[in-house]
Amino acid sequence: MEKLESAGTYIHFETSLDPITALIEEGKYSKVFVFADINTSEHCLPVFREMLDDFSEFDLIETDPGEENKNIDFCIGIWKTLLDFGADRKALMINLGGGVITDMGGFVASTYKRGIDFINIPTTLLSQVDASVGGKTGIDIDNVKNMVGTFTLPKAVFIESAFLKTVPERELLSGFAEMIKHGLIADSAYFERLKAQRFNELPVEEIYRSVQIKNEVVTADPLEKNIRKILNFGHTIGHAVESYSLNNDKKSLTHGEAIAVGMICEAWLSWKNSTLTETELEEVKTYIASVYPAYHIKEKSFKALAKLMQSDKKNENGHILFSLLEKIGKCTYNCRVSETDINESLRFYNSIYAT
Amino acid sequence: MEKLESAGTYIHFETSLDPITALIEEGKYSKVFVFADINTSEHCLPVFREMLDDFSEFDLIETDPGEENKNIDFCIGIWKTLLDFGADRKALMINLGGGVITDMGGFVASTYKRGIDFINIPTTLLSQVDASVGGKTGIDIDNVKNMVGTFTLPKAVFIESAFLKTVPERELLSGFAEMIKHGLIADSAYFERLKAQRFNELPVEEIYRSVQIKNEVVTADPLEKNIRKILNFGHTIGHAVESYSLNNDKKSLTHGEAIAVGMICEAWLSWKNSTLTETELEEVKTYIASVYPAYHIKEKSFKALAKLMQSDKKNENGHILFSLLEKIGKCTYNCRVSETDINESLRFYNSIYAT
C-alpha cells in the first residue's frame, strides 16, 4: 500500500504481508524465528500464517506477555533458545506483537552473536504508532524501563491494521495516547482531527500520519541527542507513574493511561515553565480527561515518583529534564523544572477529579 | 606518540595518558567510571593514577578477573551499579584491563541507557594487539564465547606499554599468539621478524605493527561480513579448545595457548583444503611448537569440540566455516571443512608431541 523510508528501514503500510517473503529470499537467511507472546501467538499468529500461506518454515519462540516480563531473564532464555535452535548470524527474527515483543525481541536480535537481522510486525496500536519507528530496543532492569538496550534499526516494519481487530479497547486507548502526543508536539491540525475521532474506529490514514510524525522526528535525530527528545513529552512523569503503578496498584495503568496522566501534568509544567497559554492548558486537560479514566496520585507517592524520574534517560548532570509544549503543535526540550513544580503539577492533575 | 585512526576512533600509542583529560573535558561528561578487575585495580590503577595526577574524580567499579566472570550476572551487577551511582547518558566508562574488561565493559557501556561513551585502556599484550581495535564487545553465555555482544567503537583506545610490566610471562605469551596470527594472515615479513624476537622483550614498534594490521582489516569490514573473518584464523578450533579446556582441565589453557593449538590445526587444514605448502605447514608448526607448551587433545573430546565449533559465529547454514592460509602472509575465509578433516587436524597436532 504505502512505504515510508526511515533511515534505511522501510516501514510498510500494508494490506498484505507478502513483501516479507521477498525480504526473506533476498536476505538469504539461514533460519527464520518468529518471536511472540502467548497472546499474540494465539490471536495474531493465525492472521500472520494466513497472510503468508506460502511461507511456513519458521521456529516459534514464545514468551509470557506483559511489561513485567520484558526483563533480562527472558532475554537470556531467548538467547539460549536461539543457540539451541542453531541460529547463526544469518538468522532472521520476526517480532510479532506489541511493544514488549518488539523492544525485547529487537534487543535480543541486536546483541545475539553481535547482531542478527530482525523485522518488526507491531500488532497493537501502541506499538504501531510508537515502537514501530526509531530503532529503540530495550528491556527493563529492576523495573527501570528500558534501562538496557540499543539503537538498532529493524530490517523492515510492517503495519497491518488487520491485527488491530485482535486488540482490546483498553489497549487501543493506550496507543491512542501516543497519537494525541504526536499532535500536541508537532501538528495542531492533527490534534484537532483526533479530537473528532473515536479511538476504536481510527481511519488508517490517521495511524499513518502518526507514524509519519514520529519518523520525521527520529530521522532528524536518530540517537536522541536533541530534537528527538520532544517525543518524551508526557513521558517523564508518565513513565514514573507507570512504573509506580506497576509496583503498587492492583490493576496497574496501561502505558497510554500513564502517559495521559503525564501529558496533563507536563502541560501544566508547560504553562508554568514554557509558553503554553492557560486556554491551551485547559483544552489539553479537558480533552485528555474526557478520554481517559481518572487516576489518583497519592501525596505519599510523590517522593518515589521523583526518584523514578531521576533515573530517566533524558537527564543530565543530575537534573530532571522535561520536554515541554511551547504551544499546541510545538514542543521544546531539555527544560529544567524544580521538584516543587513537579509536585504542583501532580496536584493539578489530582484537582481535576477532586469533588 | 602516535595516533592511528580507526573508523572515527583514535588509537593512541602513548607514553602518557594525558590526552584522556582533554577527551573528558571535550566530552562534557557528567560522571566518569573506571571499570577494572581486582588485579588491574591493584597493579594498573596506580600506574593510571600516577599518569593522570590532575584527574582523580572517578568512581571505581571492580569485578572478579577471568573469562569465567565475563558473564551476564556480572553485567547485570554493573548496570545496576551505574544506575545506583546515578550514571546518566553523558557518563563515561573507562575500561582498564585485559580483554575480559574491555569486552564486558564495552558491552555494558554500549547497552546502558542504549549506549554511553567508553574508552579502552588495554593493559595486557593480548588486549592491546587484539581487543583494542575493531569495536567488538561481548560476554559469554553458558561458556559460549561472546555469544552476546555488539559492534560499538570506543571513543578512544590508549595503548601504553608501561602496563605490560605488570603482565606475567604466560599472559604475554598469550598475546604474542595474536601477533603471530597477524603475521601469518597478512604480512610474511612481519612473521619472519617475530620469529627472531623474544615474546617478553617485544619492541613497541612490533606491537604497533600488529595493531596496524588488525586495524586495516577491520576498517575494510567493520561488521565482519567478509574479509574481517581472516582474523579468525586459528580461532575456530582454538576457541573450541579454549572452551573445552576451561571446563575440563585443572589448569586451563590461556587464550593464546589455545590459539596456538588452533593455528597448528588450521595450518594443517590449510595444507589439506587450501594452498599452503607442506614446507610452510612445517615452518608454522615447528615455530609455534617451539614457543608454546605441548597440549594433548583427547580423542574422546573430539565430539565435544565439534559441537563447540558448531556454535562459532562465523558459521552459516549449519556449516563450520574456517579461515585458512593460502600461504604465509595471506588468508582466505568461508572455507567448508569436513568433520573428518577437523579430527585429522587434531590428530596432526597431537602427533607433534607423540613419542
Side-chain angles (χ1 to χ4, degrees), chain A residues 28-31 72-73 76 79-80 83 86 88-90 103 107 110-115 117 135-139 141-142 144 146-151 223-225 229 310-318, chain B residues 28-31 72-73 76 79-80 83 86 88-90 103 107 110-115 117 135-139 141-142 144 146-151 223-225 229 310-318:
Chain A
K28 297 201 180 84
Y29 294 106
S30 56
K31 255 174 199 276
I72 192 72
D73 293 328
I76 297 171
W79 282 323
K80 289 186 183 177
L83 193 74
D88 60 30
R89 276 192 183 166
K90 291 294 290 175
D103 282 4
F107 178 65
S110 71
T111 52
Y112 179 73
K113 299 198 177 184
R114 298 202 183 92
D117 281 352
K136 281 189 178 181
T137 78
I139 53 165
I141 303 239
D142 282 353
V144 180
N146 299 315
M147 195 180 108
V148 165
T150 60
F151 285 103
L223 298 183
E224 202 168 31
K225 300 283 184 199
K229 295 182 184 179
Q310 282 292 352
S311 63
D312 191 279
K313 286 182 289 300
K314 289 184 308 302
N315 296 337
E316 287 178 12
N317 296 302
Chain B
K28 297 200 180 83
Y29 294 106
S30 56
K31 255 173 200 274
I72 192 71
D73 294 328
I76 297 171
W79 283 324
K80 288 186 183 179
L83 193 74
D88 61 31
R89 276 191 183 167
K90 291 293 288 175
D103 282 3
F107 178 65
S110 71
T111 52
Y112 180 74
K113 299 198 176 185
R114 298 202 184 91
D117 281 353
K136 281 189 179 182
T137 78
I139 54 165
I141 303 239
D142 280 354
V144 180
N146 299 316
M147 194 179 108
V148 164
T150 60
F151 285 103
L223 298 182
E224 201 168 32
K225 301 284 184 198
K229 295 183 185 179
Q310 281 291 352
S311 64
D312 191 280
K313 287 183 289 301
K314 289 184 307 301
N315 296 337
E316 287 179 13
N317 297 302

Side-chain angles (χ1 to χ4, degrees), chain B residues 232-249:
Chain B
N232 286 303
F233 172 69
H235 283 62
T236 308
I237 292 179
H239 268 162
V241 169
E242 186 182 6
S243 292
Y244 185 86
S245 172
L246 192 66
N247 291 324
N248 294 280
D249 297 339

Side-chain angles (χ1 to χ4, degrees), chain A residues 5-25:
Chain A
E5 189 168 1
S6 173
T9 297
Y10 282 100
I11 305 166
H12 299 254
F13 289 82
E14 296 291 344
T15 45
S16 97
L17 297 176
D18 285 348
I20 286 188
T21 318
L23 270 173
I24 291 171
E25 274 165 22

Side-chain angles (χ1 to χ4, degrees), chain A residues 190-263:
Chain A
Y190 180 57
F191 177 65
E192 285 306 317
R193 289 206 305 279
L194 289 180
K195 282 168 71 176
Q197 296 289 349
R198 291 168 53 86
F199 70 89
N200 49 3
E201 289 169 7
L202 287 169
V204 79
E205 299 77 27
E206 297 300 13
I207 297 175
Y208 181 75
R209 177 64 192 138
S210 205
V211 177
Q212 203 177 37
I213 289 172
K214 177 148 190 190
N215 189 47
E216 280 162 19
V217 176
V218 303
T219 303
D221 174 25
L223 298 183
E224 202 168 31
K225 300 283 184 199
N226 40 65
I227 185 76
R228 182 172 178 162
K229 295 182 184 179
I230 66 170
L231 293 169
N232 286 303
F233 172 70
H235 282 61
T236 308
I237 291 179
H239 268 161
V241 168
E242 186 182 5
S243 292
Y244 185 86
S245 173
L246 192 66
N247 291 324
N248 295 279
D249 297 338
K250 258 189 211 157
K251 187 188 172 190
S252 54
L253 293 178
T254 64
H255 178 70
E257 285 164 355
I259 295 316
V261 174
M263 286 194 289

